[in-house]
Amino acid sequence: DTAVSQTPKYLVTQMGNDKSIKCEQNLGHDTMYWYKQDSKKFLKIMFSYNNKELIINETVPNRFSPKSPDKAHLNLHINSLELGDSAVYFCASSHLLATMAIQFFGPGTRLTVL
Amino acid sequence: GENVEQHPSTLSVQEGDSAVIKCTYSDSASNYFPWYKQELGKRPQLIIDIRSNVGEKKDQRIAVTLNKTAKHFSLHITETQPEDSAVYFCASSYGGATNKLIFGTGTLLAVQP
């Protein structure tokens, strides 16, 4: 059983295209996150949703739009892809208000923009 | 803004030796400090964490120490094995309404057999 899953695992696309990445968690968590890991391995939070409500929105271009249809799903849509968007995108989930809200990560989606 | 510094960026040890990775955080309100291990091409996975009301925590060969006054925390791995080779990330969070994790820049640990 995969706790946090993402699709697709790999995404290769041309500059200017629009693409989506999907994330699902079956841990019963109420909070989900999107992280970007660049070529230098830096992990940076992008967005977080708690019970379908946006609670973290870092300085991210508005070409990136997260959507949470329910608390088990968090999708990321990217418009007008640019070369600099190439990275590995990780979804994560946790309880928000647990004593130690451990974040569990998905397997990642490697996005390559040509 | 919030910042976590991590050192060293790379660390090479002989199998059986100990490895120590150090982090410094900037936000004095931080109260939760997890460590993640990321093997090549895999997801980050939690290996140990500590809260600010505890100074040290151990789990078999790994331990984490926290100095709140100095805003330092460290990961200690004893009796290293080749399978410990990975990138290790420290992180800090002050919990609150967002549980936002600020990650360090990572340490590539190579354990030579």
Coordinates of all heavy atoms in Angstrom, one line a residue, chain A residues 65-101:
Chain A
S65 N -0.5 26.6 -10.0 CA -1.8 26.7 -9.3 C -2.1 25.3 -8.7 O -2.4 24.4 -9.4 CB -2.9 27.2 -10.2 OG -3.0 26.4 -11.4
P66 N -2.1 25.3 -7.4 CA -2.5 24.0 -6.7 C -4.0 24.0 -6.6 O -4.7 25.0 -6.6 CB -1.9 24.2 -5.3 CG -1.9 25.7 -5.1 CD -1.7 26.3 -6.4
K67 N -4.5 22.7 -6.5 CA -5.9 22.5 -6.4 C -6.1 21.3 -5.5 O -5.5 20.2 -5.7 CB -6.6 22.3 -7.7 CG -6.9 23.6 -8.5 CD -7.8 23.4 -9.6 CE -8.2 24.7 -10.3 NZ -7.0 25.6 -10.6
S68 N -7.0 21.4 -4.5 CA -7.3 20.3 -3.6 C -8.8 20.0 -3.6 O -9.6 20.7 -2.9 CB -6.8 20.7 -2.2 OG -7.1 19.6 -1.3
P69 N -9.2 19.0 -4.4 CA -10.6 18.7 -4.5 C -11.1 18.1 -3.2 O -12.3 18.2 -2.9 CB -10.7 17.6 -5.6 CG -9.3 17.1 -5.7 CD -8.3 18.2 -5.3
D70 N -10.3 17.4 -2.4 CA -10.7 16.9 -1.1 C -9.4 16.7 -0.3 O -8.3 16.9 -0.9 CB -11.4 15.6 -1.2 CG -10.7 14.5 -2.0 OD1 -9.6 14.1 -1.5 OD2 -11.2 14.1 -3.0
K71 N -9.5 16.4 1.0 CA -8.2 16.4 1.8 C -7.3 15.3 1.5 O -6.2 15.3 2.0 CB -8.6 16.5 3.3 CG -9.2 15.3 3.9 CD -9.5 15.6 5.3 CE -10.0 14.3 6.0 NZ -10.2 14.5 7.5
A72 N -7.7 14.3 0.7 CA -6.8 13.2 0.3 C -6.1 13.5 -1.0 O -5.2 12.7 -1.4 CB -7.6 11.9 0.2
H73 N -6.4 14.6 -1.7 CA -5.8 14.9 -3.0 C -5.3 16.3 -3.1 O -6.0 17.2 -2.6 CB -6.8 14.7 -4.1 CG -7.3 13.2 -4.3 ND1 -8.3 12.7 -3.5 CD2 -6.8 12.2 -5.1 CE1 -8.5 11.4 -3.8 NE2 -7.6 11.1 -4.8
L74 N -4.1 16.5 -3.7 CA -3.6 17.8 -4.0 C -2.9 17.8 -5.3 O -1.9 17.0 -5.4 CB -2.6 18.3 -2.9 CG -2.0 19.7 -3.1 CD1 -3.1 20.7 -3.1 CD2 -1.0 20.0 -2.0
N75 N -3.4 18.5 -6.2 CA -2.8 18.5 -7.6 C -2.1 19.8 -7.8 O -2.4 20.8 -7.2 CB -3.9 18.3 -8.6 CG -4.7 17.0 -8.4 OD1 -4.2 16.0 -7.9 ND2 -6.0 17.1 -8.6
L76 N -1.2 19.8 -8.8 CA -0.4 21.0 -9.1 C -0.5 21.2 -10.6 O 0.0 20.3 -11.4 CB 1.1 20.8 -8.7 CG 2.0 22.0 -8.9 CD1 1.5 23.2 -8.0 CD2 3.4 21.7 -8.5
H77 N -1.0 22.3 -11.0 CA -1.1 22.6 -12.4 C -0.1 23.7 -12.7 O 0.0 24.7 -12.0 CB -2.5 23.1 -12.8 CG -2.7 23.3 -14.3 ND1 -2.8 22.2 -15.1 CD2 -2.7 24.4 -15.1 CE1 -2.9 22.6 -16.4 NE2 -2.9 23.9 -16.4
I78 N 0.7 23.6 -13.8 CA 1.7 24.5 -14.2 C 1.4 25.0 -15.6 O 1.4 24.2 -16.5 CB 3.1 24.0 -14.1 CG1 3.3 23.1 -12.8 CG2 4.2 25.1 -14.2 CD1 4.6 22.4 -12.8
N79 N 1.2 26.3 -15.8 CA 1.0 26.9 -17.1 C 2.3 27.4 -17.7 O 3.2 27.8 -16.9 CB 0.0 28.1 -17.0 CG -1.4 27.7 -16.7 OD1 -1.8 26.6 -17.1 ND2 -2.1 28.5 -15.9
S80 N 2.3 27.5 -19.0 CA 3.4 28.1 -19.7 C 4.8 27.7 -19.2 O 5.6 28.6 -18.7 CB 3.3 29.7 -19.6 OG 2.0 30.1 -20.1
L81 N 5.1 26.4 -19.2 CA 6.3 25.9 -18.6 C 7.5 26.6 -19.1 O 7.7 26.9 -20.3 CB 6.3 24.4 -18.8 CG 5.5 23.6 -17.8 CD1 5.1 22.3 -18.3 CD2 6.3 23.5 -16.5
E82 N 8.5 26.8 -18.2 CA 9.8 27.4 -18.5 C 10.9 26.4 -18.2 O 10.7 25.5 -17.4 CB 10.0 28.7 -17.7 CG 8.9 29.7 -18.0 CD 9.1 31.0 -17.2 OE1 10.0 31.0 -16.3 OE2 8.3 32.0 -17.3
L83 N 12.1 26.7 -18.8 CA 13.2 25.8 -18.5 C 13.5 25.7 -17.0 O 13.9 24.6 -16.5 CB 14.5 26.3 -19.3 CG 14.4 26.3 -20.8 CD1 15.7 26.9 -21.4 CD2 14.3 24.9 -21.3
G84 N 13.4 26.8 -16.3 CA 13.7 26.8 -14.9 C 12.7 26.0 -14.0 O 13.0 25.9 -12.8
D85 N 11.7 25.6 -14.6 CA 10.7 24.8 -13.9 C 11.2 23.3 -13.8 O 10.6 22.5 -13.0 CB 9.3 24.8 -14.5 CG 8.7 26.2 -14.6 OD1 9.1 27.0 -13.7 OD2 7.9 26.5 -15.5
S86 N 12.2 23.0 -14.5 CA 12.7 21.6 -14.5 C 13.3 21.3 -13.0 O 14.1 22.1 -12.5 CB 13.9 21.4 -15.5 OG 13.4 21.6 -16.8
A87 N 12.7 20.3 -12.4 CA 13.1 19.9 -11.0 C 12.3 18.6 -10.7 O 11.6 18.1 -11.5 CB 12.6 21.0 -10.1
V88 N 12.5 18.2 -9.5 CA 11.7 17.1 -8.9 C 10.7 17.7 -8.0 O 11.1 18.5 -7.1 CB 12.5 16.0 -8.2 CG1 11.6 14.9 -7.7 CG2 13.6 15.4 -9.1
Y89 N 9.4 17.4 -8.2 CA 8.4 18.0 -7.4 C 7.9 16.8 -6.4 O 7.5 15.8 -6.9 CB 7.2 18.5 -8.2 CG 7.7 19.7 -9.0 CD1 8.3 19.6 -10.2 CD2 7.4 21.0 -8.5 CE1 8.8 20.8 -10.9 CE2 7.8 22.1 -9.1 CZ 8.5 22.0 -10.4 OH 8.9 23.1 -11.0
F90 N 7.9 17.1 -5.1 CA 7.5 16.2 -4.1 C 6.2 16.6 -3.5 O 6.1 17.8 -3.1 CB 8.5 16.0 -3.0 CG 9.7 15.2 -3.5 CD1 10.9 15.8 -3.8 CD2 9.7 13.8 -3.5 CE1 12.0 15.1 -4.2 CE2 10.8 13.0 -3.8 CZ 11.9 13.7 -4.2
C91 N 5.3 15.7 -3.3 CA 4.1 16.0 -2.5 C 4.3 15.3 -1.2 O 5.1 14.4 -1.0 CB 2.9 15.2 -3.2 SG 1.4 15.3 -2.3
A92 N 3.7 15.9 -0.1 CA 3.9 15.3 1.2 C 2.6 15.5 1.9 O 1.7 16.3 1.5 CB 5.0 16.0 2.0
S93 N 2.4 14.8 3.0 CA 1.2 15.0 3.8 C 1.5 14.8 5.3 O 2.5 14.1 5.7 CB 0.1 14.0 3.4 OG 0.4 12.7 3.8
S94 N 0.6 15.3 6.2 CA 0.8 15.2 7.6 C -0.5 15.5 8.3 O -1.5 16.0 7.7 CB 1.9 16.1 8.1 OG 1.4 17.5 8.2
H95 N -0.6 15.3 9.6 CA -1.6 15.9 10.4 C -1.1 17.3 10.8 O 0.1 17.4 11.0 CB -1.8 15.1 11.7 CG -2.4 13.8 11.5 ND1 -3.7 13.7 11.0 CD2 -2.0 12.5 11.7 CE1 -4.1 12.4 10.9 NE2 -3.0 11.7 11.3
L96 N -1.9 18.2 10.8 CA -1.5 19.6 11.1 C -1.2 19.8 12.6 O -0.2 20.4 13.0 CB -2.5 20.6 10.6 CG -2.1 22.1 10.7 CD1 -0.8 22.4 10.0 CD2 -3.2 23.0 10.3
L97 N -2.1 19.3 13.4 CA -2.1 19.7 14.8 C -1.6 18.6 15.7 O -1.8 18.6 16.9 CB -3.5 20.2 15.2 CG -3.9 21.5 14.5 CD1 -5.3 21.8 15.0 CD2 -3.0 22.6 14.8
A98 N -1.0 17.5 15.2 CA -0.5 16.5 16.0 C 0.7 17.0 16.8 O 1.3 18.0 16.4 CB -0.1 15.3 15.2
T99 N 1.1 16.4 17.8 CA 2.2 16.8 18.7 C 3.5 17.0 17.9 O 4.2 17.9 18.0 CB 2.4 15.9 19.8 OG1 1.2 15.8 20.5 CG2 3.5 16.4 20.8
M100 N 3.7 16.0 17.0 CA 4.8 16.1 16.1 C 4.3 15.8 14.7 O 4.1 14.6 14.4 CB 6.0 15.2 16.5 CG 6.8 15.8 17.6 SD 8.4 15.0 17.8 CE 7.9 13.5 18.5
A101 N 4.0 16.7 13.9 CA 3.3 16.5 12.7 C 4.3 16.0 11.6 O 4.8 16.8 10.8 CB 2.6 17.8 12.2

